[in-house]
Amino acid sequence: MASVLPYQNGFRAYVAVKGSKRKTKLFHTKAEAMAWASEVEERLKPISTAYQKDKQGKTLKWAFEFYKKHDQKDKRWRTVRRENQVAVHVLKQLGDYALSNITAPRIQEYLDDRAEAFTPRKTLYSASAIRMEKGLISSIFNCAVLRGYAASNPVLTARFRTKKVKIAVSRIREEQQADLFAMAHSLVFKTGQGKRMNASVIPWLEFMFATGMRPGEASRIELAWLNLHISRPSINIPEAGNKNNETRILTIPRHILATIAVQAEKAKLAGSKYLFWSVTHKTGEISPFAYYHPFRRLCEKLKIEGVWPHSIRHEIVSRYFMKTTLADSVIADIVGHKNTASLKPYKDFRSEELRATIEDFVDKQQERVSKLAPKKDQPDWLTVVPKNEYPEVD
């Protein structure tokens, strides 16, 4: 791309062709600068590695299409959708570059620019968004290296810095929980005018408040994973259904077993392979339960602010810490955390519950020390001593 800008007593021309080093030159008139820029741009394009068509000159845009055809299809559908979203900006900036011309410094420069860029809402891009872009470029290069289209992956040495984000634990009070169920019933069985809510929202809420499962994982539970006719009814969650990519067995609490059994029968009658499902209005296709908008609608009706579907999981984990003495490792297994470090934001709730025990222990220790200490003829430090009785100091 060529551009001409005023510079001191003349004009400076810039020519930047992807895949080649930028050229610049100073001229007295704007016409001379524009003529030189056009000539240089046309001369650089054919020899630029970004425009070569041989094996060594494959562009990132071509490599992305190749990656979609061969490797991306093995990933989860949510990851595929997110990668295709962030690919728009990645290909806009780097798509015309040849793989051989994308070096580690160029990737580092791209990540640094993204960390300082602003969204249309005038906010900085989140660390997760930049990390997804970096991961996509790395996946494209891994695919290209495996097939011999690239020598190495330049993303491996690239780093980016973002502000440390503190995890906020949102809470849902028991009164709000009861209000959510009442409002859900009124909207599901609504009569008269107005949009009725998906009936799956009621059993989904019961399941969420009983297990504290991640809302996205709960919405994708398949009927084939259910084991309801055994002594301990459970759900065998495979790797593909778990965020941690590990198999997991979730025990179904007794008080929601009847609800899950009825919901499973309704799913079979509806032809759904999912326990909680939604129906697309345009095509009539059955998909996993779209829980976000129904939950937000319930919160707006009840004027509950500062919570979202994942807040249910926050609340259940918080209650485990507040109302039980289970070890951190046990709670992590129950709610599906990979390690106990993820439970750090919740440990303050247990400290509040243990305060009485800690104070009782400290009082007993102080009482024992007081009995062992020799008695001295000194006033209690809590006793207020009149000013005229203070000893004089020379």
Side-chain angles (χ1 to χ4, degrees):
M1 180 179 179
S3 60
V4 177
L5 300 175
Y7 183 79
Q8 294 181 357
N9 296 328
F11 295 87
R12 183 175 288 278
Y14 299 87
V15 179
V17 176
K18 290 184 177 181
S20 64
K21 189 176 180 180
R22 188 178 69 166
K23 306 289 184 181
T24 179
K25 191 174 181 180
L26 186 63
F27 296 88
H28 293 291
T29 64
K30 187 176 181 179
E32 293 176 351
M34 293 182 64
W36 177 87
S38 299
E39 180 185 354
V40 173
E41 185 178 17
E42 293 300 321
R43 187 174 72 249
L44 289 179
K45 275 188 176 182
I47 64 175
S48 171
T49 56
Y51 295 90
Q52 293 178 8
K53 301 301 180 182
D54 58 331
K55 190 174 183 180
Q56 288 74 24
K58 298 294 185 181
T59 63
L60 187 70
K61 187 179 295 184
W62 176 90
F64 173 66
E65 297 298 330
F66 188 84
Y67 162 73
K68 287 174 62 176
K69 183 178 179 181
H70 292 85
D71 288 0
Q72 193 188 52
K73 60 183 180 181
D74 298 328
K75 295 188 175 182
R76 294 171 59 182
W77 68 274
R78 283 182 176 271
T79 304
V80 172
R81 184 182 67 179
R82 187 69 178 125
E83 284 187 343
N84 292 336
Q85 289 174 347
V86 302
V88 175
H89 185 273
V90 172
L91 297 181
K92 182 179 179 180
Q93 298 296 321
L94 303 174
D96 292 333
Y97 280 81
L99 295 177
S100 59
N101 204 39
I102 300 179
T103 59
R106 193 179 296 275
I107 295 295
Q108 187 64 59
E109 181 182 1
Y110 172 82
L111 295 177
D112 292 341
D113 291 341
R114 293 297 284 160
E116 298 176 359
F118 288 89
T119 66
R121 297 182 179 181
K122 306 302 181 182
T123 59
L124 290 173
Y125 282 93
S126 65
S128 60
I130 303 175
R131 190 177 294 110
M132 179 60 74
E133 293 181 9
K134 178 185 175 183
L136 172 62
I137 301 174
S138 181
S139 298
I140 294 173
F141 268 96
N142 287 336
C143 177
V145 170
L146 184 63
R147 274 80 177 185
Y149 290 105
S152 61
N153 185 351
V155 185
L156 299 180
T157 58
R159 299 290 184 270
F160 72 94
R161 294 180 180 179
T162 56
K163 293 183 179 179
K164 190 173 183 180
V165 180
K166 184 178 180 181
I167 300 176
V169 178
S170 54
R171 300 291 307 276
I172 299 177
R173 301 193 306 272
E174 294 181 353
E175 298 82 2
Q176 293 176 330
Q177 177 180 340
D179 292 340
L180 286 171
F181 280 104
M183 181 59 67
H185 277 84
S186 65
L187 293 178
V188 167
F189 302 104
K190 184 177 182 178
T191 57
Q193 296 181 350
K195 184 179 179 181
R196 295 177 62 182
M197 187 169 286
N198 188 339
S200 292
V201 69
I202 299 176
W204 180 82
L205 281 174
E206 291 188 31
F207 182 84
M208 285 294 300
F209 277 105
T211 63
M213 196 174 183
R214 296 180 182 89
E217 294 175 355
S219 66
R220 297 192 300 271
I221 293 176
E222 298 184 12
L223 298 180
W225 304 350
L226 299 180
N227 295 313
L228 303 180
H229 304 293
I230 56 178
S231 58
R232 274 190 188 176
S234 61
I235 303 175
N236 295 333
I237 304 173
E239 294 181 1
N242 192 358
K243 176 184 176 181
N244 300 327
N245 293 326
E246 295 179 352
T247 58
R248 178 187 170 202
I249 298 178
L250 176 68
T251 302
I252 301 176
R254 290 193 299 270
H255 71 280
I256 65 166
L257 181 58
T259 301
I260 297 302
V262 172
Q263 182 68 10
E265 292 299 324
K266 290 183 178 179
K268 292 178 182 178
L269 293 175
S272 170
K273 71 174 184 177
Y274 302 104
L275 180 63
F276 312 106
W277 72 95
S278 295
V279 179
T280 306
H281 294 290
K282 292 183 179 180
T283 61
E285 296 180 354
I286 295 177
S287 60
F289 177 50
Y291 57 86
Y292 182 81
H293 289 291
F295 185 83
R296 293 306 307 162
R297 185 182 173 193
L298 293 175
C299 292
E300 290 173 0
K301 289 281 186 181
L302 297 170
K303 297 182 179 180
I304 300 176
E305 299 180 353
V307 299
W308 54 94
H310 202 82
S311 300
I312 302 177
R313 178 174 173 83
H314 286 316
E315 178 61 28
I316 299 306
V317 179
S318 301
R319 292 179 186 179
Y320 274 119
F321 273 92
M322 293 179 63
K323 300 182 179 181
T324 71
T325 58
L326 296 174
D328 293 359
S329 58
V330 177
I331 297 178
D333 290 337
I334 293 174
V335 298
H337 277 294
K338 195 169 185 178
N339 54 61
T340 57
S342 302
L343 300 175
K344 186 177 180 180
Y346 305 93
K347 292 187 178 180
D348 290 339
F349 296 112
R350 176 155 290 175
S351 299
E352 292 293 328
E353 293 299 311
L354 295 177
R355 179 170 295 177
T357 303
I358 295 172
E359 291 178 349
D360 184 56
F361 169 77
V362 172
D363 290 341
K364 289 183 179 179
Q365 289 295 314
Q366 185 63 31
E367 183 180 353
R368 180 177 299 179
V369 171
S370 299
K371 290 180 179 180
L372 296 176
K375 295 183 178 180
K376 296 181 180 180
D377 189 13
Q378 294 179 352
D380 188 355
W381 71 275
L382 292 175
T383 304
V384 178
V385 181
K387 186 176 181 180
N388 57 357
E389 295 185 13
Y390 279 102
E392 295 182 0
V393 180
D394 294 336

